[in-house]
Amino acid sequence: MKELFHIKFLENNDLLIVVSLIFGILTFASVLFYVIGKIKPKANLKELKARTKSWWFMATIFILATIVNTNISYIAIAFLSFVAFRELYSLLGFRNSDRRAIFWAFISIPIQYYLAFIGWYGAFIIFIPVVMFLILPLRLVLKGNTNGIVKSMSLLQWTLMLTVFGISHMAYLLSLPEIDGFNSGGRGLLLFLVFITEINDVMQFTWGKLLGKNKIIPKISPNKTWEGFIGGLISTTIIGYFLGFLTPLPTIQIIFVSFMIAFSGFVGDIVVSSIKRDIGVKDTGNSIPGHGGVLDRIDSLAYTAPVFFHLVYYLAY
């Protein structure tokens, strides 16, 4: 059992506080919506309940990824990338002749996560943006079908960048070296990233429902408003400040980083929303029954993970 679970995690009060806080909020929200539904049966709580249930799923996945054996944590996050990549490429209308190149793209997933596992920053940061950028077009060219090849080159590389390169920064957080006086380590950073990203989604949705009047991008996401966006930015930044003990950053830096997570999370959400509108689908898949696909749940993380990682890497490491 000691080899499977991080005993240091269980002895770290900071991490235990955050885990308790996350499950406490989820329990309170679930009970609250249940009670409101009983009192006001006509209340439209479907979307709120769906978001809460999906957050239960994601919170459980990532919290387990922080307490189980580190090797399993890398595999769990890599699996999320694998599923998200499969969901997105299946929607984008690739040619039959692209299958070999898509196979190569799948092979790049374990390689990218192995580089994160061993903490080889130089190779990790260029493997997909440079190496795969050069290799995948060659594989497409060798097939000999040039009809639509530019579209396939662009879509395949972009899909890898979004679902694998972006998400893989979460795994690399676990490989960051220890800092004297910072006991939470990579597990604390991962928890901070996931919690702040998800609470930003909740805050923007909540403020939008309470005060939202002015649409921010009605053609892409008609439910998003300036009030929700600004309220989410402010609320998330404040919450990030109070959870700053999970990072090695001083006050000013943690405020800035929390703000950037909130902003980039919004960007990731609307980017994936625009893709779904273009394709004409509501969800990217059905990997989570009743709540869409994995990419629907981690679209914001695909943007917040690299932003958070590189800010922390630059400021603290």
Side-chain angles (χ1 to χ4, degrees):
M1 183 65 69
K2 290 184 178 181
E3 293 178 354
L4 179 60
F5 290 92
H6 289 299
I7 302 301
K8 290 183 178 180
F9 173 90
L10 300 176
E11 295 173 351
N12 190 313
N13 291 331
D14 291 344
L15 297 181
L16 288 175
I17 289 172
V18 175
V19 171
S20 301
L21 176 64
I22 292 172
F23 283 124
I25 292 174
L26 288 174
T27 301
F28 173 78
S30 299
V31 173
L32 178 63
F33 297 149
Y34 175 79
V35 172
I36 293 176
K38 290 295 183 181
I39 296 175
K40 297 181 178 181
K42 295 183 179 181
N44 185 12
L45 301 175
K46 184 177 180 180
E47 189 171 358
L48 286 171
K49 289 181 178 180
R51 284 173 179 264
T52 303
K53 288 178 180 179
S54 65
W55 203 34
W56 269 108
F57 172 80
M58 296 306 298
T60 301
I61 290 293
F62 287 111
I63 287 174
L64 286 175
T66 63
I67 66 175
V68 299
N69 180 278
T70 304
N71 296 342
I72 300 177
S73 301
Y74 290 104
I75 294 172
I77 301 173
F79 180 71
L80 289 179
S81 273
F82 171 84
V83 176
F85 177 83
R86 186 184 63 182
E87 288 176 349
L88 188 53
Y89 98 78
S90 66
L91 294 174
L92 294 178
F94 283 98
R95 308 168 303 168
N96 289 333
S97 58
D98 297 334
R99 292 180 179 178
R100 293 290 180 88
I102 291 173
F103 175 75
W104 284 28
F106 272 117
I107 294 299
S108 73
I109 297 176
I111 297 174
Q112 176 72 3
Y113 277 88
Y114 176 73
L115 295 174
F117 171 71
I118 64 176
W120 187 359
Y121 178 80
F124 169 85
I125 211 65
I126 69 167
F127 176 64
I128 288 178
V130 178
V131 177
M132 295 308 294
F133 174 78
L134 299 174
I135 289 178
L136 290 178
L138 173 62
R139 176 63 260 187
L140 292 168
V141 168
L142 291 176
K143 194 64 178 178
N145 181 9
T146 59
N147 184 25
I149 194 171
V150 174
K151 179 181 177 182
S152 293
M153 289 178 180
S154 303
L155 289 179
L156 190 52
Q157 181 65 22
W158 190 84
T159 302
L160 263 185
M161 289 293 294
L162 180 72
T163 61
V164 181
F165 183 70
I167 297 300
S168 66
H169 286 78
M170 298 173 63
Y172 202 113
L173 288 172
L174 299 171
S175 297
L176 289 174
E178 294 184 2
I179 296 179
D180 292 338
F182 176 51
N183 297 324
S184 298
R187 296 187 296 279
L189 291 171
L190 180 60
L191 269 182
F192 180 87
L193 169 65
V194 173
F195 182 74
I196 295 301
T197 299
E198 296 298 332
I199 204 66
N200 174 61
D201 179 60
V202 173
M203 289 294 102
Q204 291 196 13
F205 178 81
T206 302
W207 285 113
K209 285 293 185 181
L210 292 175
L211 304 175
K213 293 182 179 180
N214 301 292
K215 306 295 183 181
I216 186 169
I217 41 172
K219 292 183 179 180
I220 302 298
S221 187
N223 293 325
K224 293 191 180 300
T225 63
W226 279 105
E227 293 82 1
F229 172 60
I230 295 173
L233 281 178
I234 296 173
S235 301
T236 301
T237 301
I238 293 172
I239 294 171
Y241 163 76
F242 285 106
L243 293 180
F245 56 82
L246 287 176
T247 78
L249 303 176
T251 300
I252 296 299
Q253 291 180 355
I254 195 58
I255 291 175
F256 173 69
V257 167
S258 299
F259 175 86
M260 290 303 297
I261 290 177
F263 180 78
S264 57
F266 172 82
V267 174
D269 188 5
I270 62 175
V271 166
V272 175
S273 293
S274 68
I275 296 170
K276 290 188 286 188
R277 280 194 172 274
D278 180 37
I279 299 172
V281 298
K282 181 182 178 181
D283 300 313
T284 59
N286 56 3
S287 302
I288 308 173
H291 305 292
V294 167
L295 184 57
D296 294 308
R297 306 279 71 85
I298 64 173
D299 50 4
S300 296
L301 282 167
Y303 269 66
T304 61
V307 169
F308 176 69
F309 174 87
H310 289 291
L311 284 173
V312 170
Y313 190 84
Y314 173 77
L315 295 171
Y317 291 88

